[in-house]
Amino acid sequence: MYVGTLSFDLLLGDVRSLKEKRSVVRPIVAELHRRYAVSVAEVGDQDLYRRAEIGLAVVSGDASHLTDVLDRCERWVAARPEVELLSVRRRFHGTHDE
């Protein structure tokens, strides 16, 4: 079993309130879940209206499939015009980890 996680640090575009932030972040979270069947949520910076941290996790029996899903998620988020991807943190956990 392999588990992979991504943590995205995002700068939101023309957002002036937490309500506007939700209208940008929620569709991104929902589409990642729908399109790639990953567990995903806003995990940080909830009180800052121009920043967002989104975390996602994937479980797979195949390391190459896991890498492919994480790569596609990262490319999809990076291509979103309404956000600027500041950083991505990727972690892998495999059956050899203790």
Side-chain angles (χ1 to χ4, degrees), residues 19-54:
K19 186 176 181 179
E20 287 181 15
K21 174 186 180 175
R22 281 193 308 274
S23 72
V24 172
V25 173
R26 280 186 179 172
I28 291 172
V29 168
E31 187 63 17
L32 283 167
H33 177 70
R34 186 194 70 77
R35 185 180 292 229
Y36 301 108
V38 297
S39 295
V40 59
E42 183 180 2
V43 295
D45 295 332
Q46 282 96 348
D47 57 339
L48 302 175
Y49 66 89
R50 291 217 50 228
R51 296 289 294 271
E53 184 180 354
I54 296 175

Side-chain angles (χ1 to χ4, degrees), residues 41-71:
E42 183 180 2
V43 295
D45 295 332
Q46 282 96 348
D47 57 339
L48 302 175
Y49 66 89
R50 291 217 50 228
R51 296 289 294 271
E53 184 180 354
I54 296 175
L56 68 81
V58 183
V59 177
S60 178
D62 180 30
S64 64
H65 176 259
L66 181 71
T67 301
D68 181 53
V69 172
L70 294 178
D71 288 345

